[in-house]
Amino acid sequence: MTALDERPASRPTTTTTVSVAEYLGARLLQAGVTDLFGVPGDFNLDLLDGLATVEGLAWVGSPNELGAGYAADAYARVRGLAVLVTTYGVGELSAINALAGAAAEDAPLLHVVGSPRRAAVEAGALVHHTLADGEFGHFSRAAAELTVVTETLTLERAAEQIDTVVLAATTHRRPAYLSVPQDLALARIDAGPLEHRLTAASDPAALHAFESRVTELLVDAQRPVLVVGQLVARFGLGADLADLAARAGVAVVTQLSARGVLDPEHPSFAGDHAGTMLDNGTAELVAAADVVVQVGTLLTSELTGFGSHRRPGADTPFLAATEAGFGATATGRVLLPDALAALDRALAGRRGPRFVRAGRPVAATPVHAPDAPLTQAATWDLLAAALPEHTALLADTGTAYWGAAAMPLPADTVFGGQPVWSSIGYALPAVLGQGLADRTRRPVLVIGDGAAQMTVQELSTIAAAGLAPVVLLLDNRGYTIERALQSPRASYNDVAAWDWCALVPALTGDRGRAVSVRTAGELSAALADAFADTTHLVFVQAHLDADDTPPLIDALARLATAAKG
């Protein structure tokens, strides 16, 4: 489990009652949340006023709810929980794309909605932010499609409902939804439950059944391989995985959604895995394994190389957020941290040989003529050479993500993106969430111009929060990944030209600066300068040809075309 579980329960007051807002704030602090993302609206103002009295919580306002939701998603991945506060109707619907992304990417985001007063709901009043039909359940029903639990708070069950949504989000590492009527936000409720931390537990019988069977499968395994997915990172179990792998001497491959979970120099790390889409030997390694263990994986098309991976069989062990089992059958409720500990014990008794990582050829340092026009190949080579250790590299969907996915990472690098939901514009607000969640790592963002136009206003929030990321904008005048997939000359793949070097200081003031580069030499110098300047948000606009793509996009396009038949 993470260090957050070792905190004692906080006690917000010595009285026997607290307001609903204070109770919620106390539970959030216990879960490691210190920043609240969102946008104010009249139905949530009482709630925000109440949360403002909770010492230790800071408000982070965004220009719009979608950006706030993306920021909360990234924060949740680091802290194990994040909170997004919006108003009813217009606010929550603006954020619903972010809520869906958090569901797809296993991010424990708690969406708290300030809703109309109970009397208005009971009377079916035709108030603003509704569909003027007297029906107030439309939006909570939409949220129910995307969350593990949806609650509309009542006075009688307020503490229980708050505990339910917080525990569900942190246990499942998925979004949850809480609607707080305006007239209940400051209502007094019993503070007694706050004396006890919220905890979840595995079913002992199910855990024992899983451990017994996986031990049988692994005891004589000669070539076991662990395929590791994003849930390991979401639960903060990267260090546990590294220790397990080192002790057991077992091969580990990571899905693209789990890049950076295991240090690239770890003796058990065999490479990133996406079926045959990656030409690095992991597909052959997994195919030759006698036991493949799926640890927190998600088998979507892009993450499996469009189905070119080895498919799980009836005896394939799997470890998920709240269950573990074999093939398509779970043994019961087994939480991922407990399942990983059971796997550790099972591997301890394995009699087979230790994995020996094949020697990796030392790649020649690429040479790019300083005066040559900038290319995708040069961009990724130069970024790989310049990127320091201990950063958080965030890559937006498109050429940015698939270029970064093939780039070697320095030691101790967090890698983030949205390979499952793939909503362009996500990664720019994610810089805000990542940077606030872990101020020890400088965020580095790579994003296309089309994606950046979606959420660029969040640069102002990032700068106001005192963060100083490095932003590399891939300016190829549109959606190059779509050009690679279909209709490269279609006008719908073009975007309007922006003066980025004028826009950045307009949004960030003296906290940010921008530079435009067109050659390999200019990019090399700009990156060196950006990483040396740790006090400013540094924005580098890299001009690229509209048809130039990273090699991995070419492979992606081929497999996607083949999958369509």
Side-chain angles (χ1 to χ4, degrees):
M1 300 294 285
T2 67
L4 297 180
D5 299 302
E6 299 168 4
R7 289 187 180 86
S10 62
R11 301 182 182 186
T13 177
T14 57
T15 63
T16 58
T17 67
V18 291
S19 71
V20 164
E22 289 173 319
Y23 190 99
L24 174 61
R27 282 303 193 203
L28 297 180
L29 287 170
Q30 288 175 8
V33 173
T34 56
D35 302 275
L36 307 175
F37 300 90
V39 177
D42 55 349
F43 291 136
N44 68 22
L45 296 181
D46 287 341
L47 177 64
L48 292 180
D49 284 343
L51 288 169
T53 69
V54 180
E55 185 178 355
L57 291 179
W59 174 250
V60 184
S62 285
N64 61 57
E65 291 86 359
L66 179 60
Y70 286 156
D73 173 304
Y75 188 97
R77 298 182 188 202
V78 179
R79 292 288 185 94
L81 184 68
V83 176
L84 169 66
V85 185
T86 72
T87 196
Y88 176 83
V90 294
E92 59 184 311
L93 291 187
S94 291
I96 201 165
N97 184 38
L99 191 68
E105 302 279 342
D106 295 311
L109 189 162
L110 174 58
H111 189 180
V112 180
V113 175
S115 55
R117 295 177 178 274
R118 290 173 295 170
V121 174
E122 291 166 2
L126 305 185
V127 300
H128 64 290
H129 295 346
T130 73
L131 301 183
D133 60 356
E135 166 61 60
F136 288 81
H138 295 296
F139 314 128
S140 61
R141 289 195 295 272
E145 294 291 324
L146 305 171
T147 57
V148 290
V149 63
T150 301
E151 294 279 354
T152 297
L153 193 134
T154 66
L155 183 60
E156 297 75 20
R157 297 180 54 240
E160 174 192 344
Q161 290 173 299
I162 291 171
D163 290 355
T164 295
V165 295
V166 171
L167 185 59
T170 54
T171 301
H172 292 268
R173 290 310 199 254
R174 298 290 295 276
Y177 174 98
L178 177 67
S179 176
V180 181
Q182 187 177 12
D183 57 314
L184 289 184
L186 301 178
R188 307 296 294 185
I189 60 175
D190 181 20
L194 294 175
E195 297 293 327
H196 305 284
R197 289 186 59 84
L198 301 175
T199 58
S202 298
D203 173 11
L207 177 60
H208 176 72
F210 172 73
E211 184 171 343
S212 296
R213 177 62 179 142
V214 80
T215 299
E216 292 176 4
L217 288 172
L218 289 170
V219 65
D220 291 319
Q222 302 298 298
R223 301 176 307 280
V225 175
L226 308 186
V227 179
V228 173
Q230 62 197 36
L231 278 173
V232 172
R234 301 296 186 266
F235 278 88
L237 295 171
D240 300 78
L241 174 72
D243 291 344
L244 174 158
R247 284 191 296 269
V250 62
V252 177
V253 299
T254 52
Q255 292 190 296
L256 291 175
S257 58
R259 286 201 86 202
V261 168
L262 205 62
D263 193 88
E265 296 305 315
H266 191 287
S268 287
F269 181 59
D272 296 317
H273 181 56
T276 60
M277 189 166 70
L278 298 179
D279 184 20
N280 61 357
T282 60
E284 293 81 359
L285 179 71
V286 172
D290 47 2
V291 179
V292 176
V293 185
Q294 301 282 344
V295 185
T297 57
L298 195 60
L299 303 181
T300 64
S301 57
E302 286 82 3
L303 296 182
T304 63
F306 289 88
S308 63
H309 69 305
R310 172 177 169 175
R311 290 167 172 75
D315 289 330
T316 300
F318 72 86
L319 289 68
T322 57
E323 61 182 18
F326 305 87
T329 305
T331 62
R333 182 179 172 85
V334 179
L335 305 184
L336 183 60
D338 294 334
L340 193 65
L343 179 63
D344 193 0
R345 294 188 293 270
L347 285 167
R350 187 174 70 91
R351 295 190 285 259
R354 296 178 66 85
F355 169 70
V356 178
R357 189 170 74 174
R360 299 182 182 180
V362 179
T365 302
V367 177
H368 300 281
D371 296 331
L374 193 58
T375 63
Q376 286 279 347
T379 298
W380 299 110
D381 288 341
L382 294 171
L383 180 59
L387 188 65
E389 295 183 359
H390 194 68
T391 63
L393 177 61
L394 303 173
D396 208 277
T397 298
T399 54
Y401 185 84
W402 296 104
M407 188 186 86
L409 296 179
D412 191 24
T413 300
V414 168
F415 181 74
Q418 243 195 2
V420 180
W421 187 240
S422 294
S423 183
I424 67 170
Y426 161 81
L428 198 153
V431 167
L432 176 64
Q434 168 68 45
L436 291 176
D438 183 1
R439 286 186 176 268
T440 70
R441 293 181 188 273
R442 189 180 191 186
V444 179
L445 169 66
V446 189
I447 188 168
D449 54 338
Q453 288 188 10
M454 292 273 189
T455 51
V456 69
Q457 60 268 51
E458 210 66 52
L459 282 180
S460 63
T461 320
I462 292 167
L467 302 177
V470 174
V471 179
L472 176 59
L473 180 89
L474 308 179
D475 188 346
N476 44 28
R477 298 171 299 287
Y479 307 123
T480 287
I481 188 170
E482 309 293 3
R483 293 172 179 142
L485 294 174
Q486 184 171 312
S487 304
R489 301 277 73 83
S491 61
Y492 54 69
N493 284 324
D494 301 332
V495 299
W498 285 16
D499 187 344
W500 293 97
C501 288
L503 180 63
V504 171
L507 291 173
T508 64
D510 60 4
R511 296 185 180 96
R513 58 188 186 84
V515 61
S516 179
V517 300
R518 294 181 178 274
T519 68
E522 290 173 347
L523 177 60
S524 181
L527 290 175
D529 177 62
F531 289 122
D533 181 0
T534 59
T535 61
H536 289 89
L537 183 159
V538 184
F539 189 100
V540 180
Q541 176 189 13
H543 293 270
L544 293 160
D545 186 88
D547 296 320
D548 190 12
T549 57
L552 197 50
I553 282 191
D554 298 334
L556 179 77
R558 287 194 301 271
L559 288 168
T561 300
K564 291 193 296 185

